[in-house]
């Protein structure tokens, strides 16, 4: 597709349930980022991939959060045993083919996760 | 850690007027700055960026000004239109050792009044 695609668009989970959020970056983009955006706040960095390598996962809030990008294209963010504080919009972004981090990011529309 | 912040959470302007959205940053090592527009239910959309070797950059109806001395960034939108209503985020990055990805401020909600 022309842009970053995320699915599902909305996800409602019961507390304790596991969820998986999918991101299809722009074709050919080397870098992929996951951000978490709480209501009324700016996006907060979670993790970064360059191709299939996860180079930075310092923003993941707990070991319940796990991200992968096994073939260097599609990425999945998994949250185990969801808690209410996990409720947020999860944004995926990719960047230009040169793969640098000091470049503009192209964002998807996000997955809005609500944990009840 | 150091972060990027915004002065005003909400800015209301009349349609056709110019809008100025401000942003302060604290990381003196930041060398790349970017403005995003986020409409309700959508992801952030790129507006304009600027590197630290510049102090001004213009796009279509938008201008970004960077004052490194006081660590201040602004976004000027000329002849504001209803479609400009959104939340605007500034973000920054430090190359060569800073955090991966962009660090975002909290956002300014721009409201256009008819």
């Amino acid at each position: 597709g022309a842009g970053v695609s995320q699915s599902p668009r909305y996800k409602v989970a019961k507390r304790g349930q596991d969820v998986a959020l999918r991101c299809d970056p722009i074709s050919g983009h080397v870098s992929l980022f996951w951000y978490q955006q709480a209501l009324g706040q700016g996006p907060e960095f979670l993790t970064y991939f360059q191709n299939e390598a996860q180079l930075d996962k310092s923003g993941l809030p707990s070991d319940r959060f796990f991200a992968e990008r096994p073939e260097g294209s599609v990425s999945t963010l998994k949250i185990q045993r969801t808690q209410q504080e996990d409720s947020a919009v999860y944004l995926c972004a990719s960047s230009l083919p040169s793969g640098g981090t000091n470049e503009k990011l192209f964002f998807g529309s996000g997955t809005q996760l609500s944990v009840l | 850690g150091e972060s990027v912040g915004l002065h005003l959470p909400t800015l209301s302007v009349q349609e056709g007027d110019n809008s100025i959205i401000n942003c302060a940053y604290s990381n003196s090592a930041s060398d790349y700055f970017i403005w995003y527009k986020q409409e309700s239910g959508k992801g952030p959309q790129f507006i304009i960026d600027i590197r630290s070797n510049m102090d001004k950059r213009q796009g279509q109806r938008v201008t970004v000004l960077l004052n490194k001395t006081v660590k201040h960034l602004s976004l000027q939108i000329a002849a504001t239109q209803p479609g400009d209503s959104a939340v605007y985020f500034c973000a920054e990055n430090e190359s060569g050792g800073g955090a991966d990805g962009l660090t975002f401020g909290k956002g300014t909600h721009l409201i256009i009044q008819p």
Side-chain angles (χ1 to χ4, degrees):
Chain A
V4 177
S5 178
Q6 291 187 247
S7 61
R9 186 73 181 84
Y10 301 94
K11 177 68 180 177
V12 178
K14 292 183 179 179
R15 190 174 58 172
Q17 188 177 357
D18 297 350
V19 299
L21 313 180
R22 177 187 169 102
C23 173
D24 282 87
I26 294 173
S27 179
H29 277 196
V30 170
S31 296
L32 185 146
F33 299 80
W34 283 98
Y35 282 79
Q36 180 190 60
Q37 186 174 25
L39 186 63
Q41 301 293 316
E44 296 273 351
F45 170 81
L46 293 177
T47 187
Y48 159 61
F49 290 86
Q50 189 171 88
N51 295 304
E52 68 279 3
Q54 188 175 21
L55 300 185
D56 186 347
K57 55 182 181 179
S58 62
L60 296 178
S62 77
D63 59 7
R64 296 186 295 104
F65 286 70
F66 172 76
E68 60 183 4
R69 194 186 184 196
E71 298 179 357
S73 55
V74 172
S75 177
T76 303
L77 176 67
K78 298 179 180 178
I79 308 173
Q80 298 177 322
R81 305 181 302 282
T82 52
Q83 303 295 315
Q84 285 187 325
E85 62 264 28
D86 300 335
S87 295
V89 175
Y90 290 86
L91 294 164
C92 177
S94 65
S95 68
L96 292 171
S98 63
T101 61
N102 194 348
E103 296 176 359
K104 66 183 179 185
L105 304 182
F106 296 86
F107 283 85
S109 293
T111 293
Q112 184 171 330
L113 173 65
S114 299
V115 182
L116 306 179
Chain B
E2 296 179 307
S3 63
V4 177
L6 294 170
H7 293 304
L8 296 173
T10 302
L11 177 64
S12 183
V13 298
Q14 293 287 330
E15 182 179 349
D17 287 352
N18 297 335
S19 300
I20 300 176
I21 302 172
N22 295 304
C23 178
Y25 64 94
S26 56
N27 183 1
S28 57
S30 295
D31 55 6
Y32 176 69
F33 306 87
I34 187 167
W35 282 98
Y36 280 93
K37 171 186 179 182
Q38 188 174 27
E39 297 174 283
S40 180
K42 298 183 178 180
Q45 177 186 2
F46 169 83
I47 301 174
I48 192 167
D49 58 1
I50 188 168
R51 298 191 185 274
S52 58
N53 59 352
M54 303 173 66
D55 54 20
K56 180 179 180 179
R57 191 169 187 211
Q58 289 185 293
Q60 186 177 12
R61 281 202 308 118
V62 294
T63 301
V64 56
L65 299 177
L66 175 62
N67 185 332
K68 295 180 286 295
T69 302
V70 295
K71 295 198 283 289
H72 183 269
L73 189 71
S74 68
L75 175 70
Q76 300 178 1
I77 305 173
T80 314
Q81 303 170 357
D84 295 329
S85 290
V87 177
Y88 289 80
F89 293 98
C90 65
E92 56 85 16
N93 183 265
E94 174 194 345
S95 60
D100 290 317
L102 297 168
T103 300
F104 283 80
K106 292 185 178 180
T108 293
H109 185 194
L110 179 63
I111 299 172
I112 311 302
Q113 296 188 350

